[in-house]
């Protein structure tokens, strides 16, 4: 009897491949996002670059960073590139709970690696800027009042905002992020087509940054803050975790809670209305990952 060999599917076809997508999507997000923060922080006093010290650099830089990260991983993993998004989708039955921790690991590692890359790329500028304030590179995580530059890599609240205000800002910002992502990708609700979801979600980031960004630097993504903060911890004797009165837990906890709340608000408001009206998918669209695409007439 002739034996038949059955080839095993590649690990890349399953969760491992999705983790690769989340890793690189998040890495791209942080490289471009924190890269624009580095431009804003390290070159805003160098002539002739007056544009570098404008907040618009931050909001559009992060918007484009999110757009590019989603394009990298969208068809592979859904491009969560944010633990708050992953948790919210799992809590509302859109994502398997078994994949939450693998996604989180990939996201944090991607952000951590990106933080390390940026640290070395901008090390000359960091040494120069810290030297002006009579600080060494090992003192990068000094609080902003002590002229440290750790905030290039992670977020911090303005001194007058307070812990409650900072928590609320991150909570509301992430609730808006997740709720409006669900609006954008819902094929029943005037969906964005031709794979333009990443662009529109990038513009959503611009809107959140413009409206809620200055209180805390709008992490709205635990991996975006924790991954680079962990890298700076390794080169600053873990001072990045004690900086700003141990603020590090706020951009982790508030986005995770806010994302889940935003998803449930959508499901029990707009989602219920769409279901009650028995609306189907708009036109000839299909949802693939986070992207709503037009089906080819062929």
């Amino acid at each position: 009897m002739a034996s038949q060999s059955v080839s095993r599917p590649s690990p890349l076809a399953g969760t491992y491949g999705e983790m690769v997508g989340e890793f690189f999507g998040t890495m791209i997000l942080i490289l471009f996002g924190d890269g624009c923060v580095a431009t804003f922080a390290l070159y805003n006093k160098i002539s002739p670059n007056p544009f570098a010290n404008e907040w618009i650099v931050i909001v559009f830089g992060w918007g484009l960073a999110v757009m590019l990260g989603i394009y990298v991983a969208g068809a592979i993993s859904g491009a969560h590139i944010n633990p708050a998004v992953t948790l919210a989708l799992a809590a509302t039955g859109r994502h398997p709970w078994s994949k939450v921790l693998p996604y989180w690991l990939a996201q944090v590692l991607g952000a951590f690696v990106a933080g390390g890359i940026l640290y070395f790329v901008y090390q000359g500028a960091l040494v120069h800027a810290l030297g002006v304030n009579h600080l060494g590179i090992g003192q990068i995580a000094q609080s902003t009042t002590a002229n440290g530059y750790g905030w290039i890599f992670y977020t911090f609240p303005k001194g007058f905002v307070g812990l409650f205000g900072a928590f609320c800002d991150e909570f509301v910002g992430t609730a808006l992020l997740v709720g409006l992502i669900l609006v954008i990708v819902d094929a029943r609700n005037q969906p964005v087509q031709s794979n333009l979801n990443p662009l529109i979600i990038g513009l959503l980031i611009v809107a959140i940054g413009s409206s809620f960004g200055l209180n805390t630097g709008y992490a709205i993504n635990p991996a975006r803050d924790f991954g680079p903060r962990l890298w700076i911890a390794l080169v600053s004797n873990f001072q990045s975790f004690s900086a700003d009165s141990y603020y590090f837990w706020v951009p982790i906890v508030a986005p995770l809670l806010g994302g889940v709340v935003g998803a449930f608000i959508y499901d029990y408001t707009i989602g219920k209305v769409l279901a009650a009206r028995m609306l189907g998918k708009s036109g000839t669209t299909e949802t693939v990952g986070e992207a709503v695409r037009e089906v080819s007439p062929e």
Side-chain angles (χ1 to χ4, degrees):
M1 179 182 292
S3 62
Q4 293 181 333
S5 61
V6 179
S7 60
R8 294 182 178 180
S10 169
L12 293 175
T15 302
Y16 179 72
E18 293 169 8
M19 291 177 67
V20 171
E22 286 296 306
F23 173 89
F24 281 101
T26 309
M27 186 179 74
I28 291 296
L29 164 67
I30 302 303
L31 284 175
F32 284 102
D34 275 354
C36 77
V37 179
T39 298
F40 177 85
L42 300 173
Y43 293 94
N44 61 3
K45 296 180 181 178
I46 299 176
S47 180
N49 293 303
F51 184 68
N53 63 356
E54 299 294 335
W55 183 243
I56 194 172
V57 171
I58 301 296
V59 296
F60 274 98
W62 275 106
L64 292 170
V66 169
M67 179 193 74
L68 294 171
I70 296 174
Y71 272 125
V72 167
I76 299 172
S77 63
H80 300 183
I81 59 177
N82 182 338
V85 172
T86 301
L87 180 62
L89 296 182
T92 55
R94 294 176 170 89
H95 186 71
W97 280 105
S98 62
K99 293 185 179 182
V100 169
L101 290 181
Y103 270 50
W104 281 6
L105 177 62
Q107 292 156 359
V108 171
L109 283 176
F112 175 79
V113 170
I117 293 171
L118 289 169
Y119 176 80
F120 289 112
V121 168
Y122 280 100
Q123 188 163 87
L126 287 168
V127 169
H128 170 77
L130 288 164
V132 170
N133 297 322
H134 307 290
L135 298 174
I137 192 69
Q139 297 169 293
I140 188 174
Q142 293 288 321
S143 68
T144 52
T145 56
N147 297 315
Y149 281 91
W151 58 271
I152 290 175
F153 299 87
Y154 48 82
T155 62
F156 72 98
K158 296 292 189 298
F160 51 80
V161 171
L163 186 63
F164 178 75
F167 191 96
C168 289
D169 190 79
E170 291 292 335
F171 181 96
V172 171
T174 314
L176 287 170
L177 171 67
V178 174
L180 287 168
I181 285 175
L182 295 179
V183 169
I184 292 166
V185 303
D186 195 329
R188 302 170 299 173
N189 190 28
Q190 300 188 86
V192 181
Q193 300 185 27
S194 300
N195 199 23
L196 289 177
N197 279 357
L199 173 61
I200 304 304
I201 294 173
L203 292 176
L204 168 60
I205 299 299
V206 173
I208 293 173
S210 300
S211 302
F212 297 94
L214 282 169
N215 273 341
T216 63
Y218 72 121
I220 58 175
N221 181 339
R224 171 264 178 276
D225 189 279
F226 182 75
R229 190 185 292 269
L230 182 59
W231 175 267
I232 297 302
L234 297 180
V235 299
S236 68
N237 195 25
F238 288 87
Q239 292 181 30
S240 60
F241 287 106
S242 60
D244 303 301
S245 301
Y246 294 90
Y247 175 76
F248 77 92
W249 66 271
V250 173
I252 296 175
V253 176
L256 289 174
L257 294 177
V260 170
V261 170
F264 275 113
I265 288 175
Y266 176 77
D267 280 353
Y268 285 94
T269 55
I270 300 299
K272 288 289 187 182
V273 173
L274 292 172
R277 290 173 175 255
M278 294 183 288
L279 295 176
K281 294 182 178 180
S282 177
T284 55
T285 65
E286 61 180 359
T287 302
V288 179
E290 294 287 348
V292 178
R293 308 170 190 262
E294 294 172 295
V295 178
S296 170
E298 299 178 357

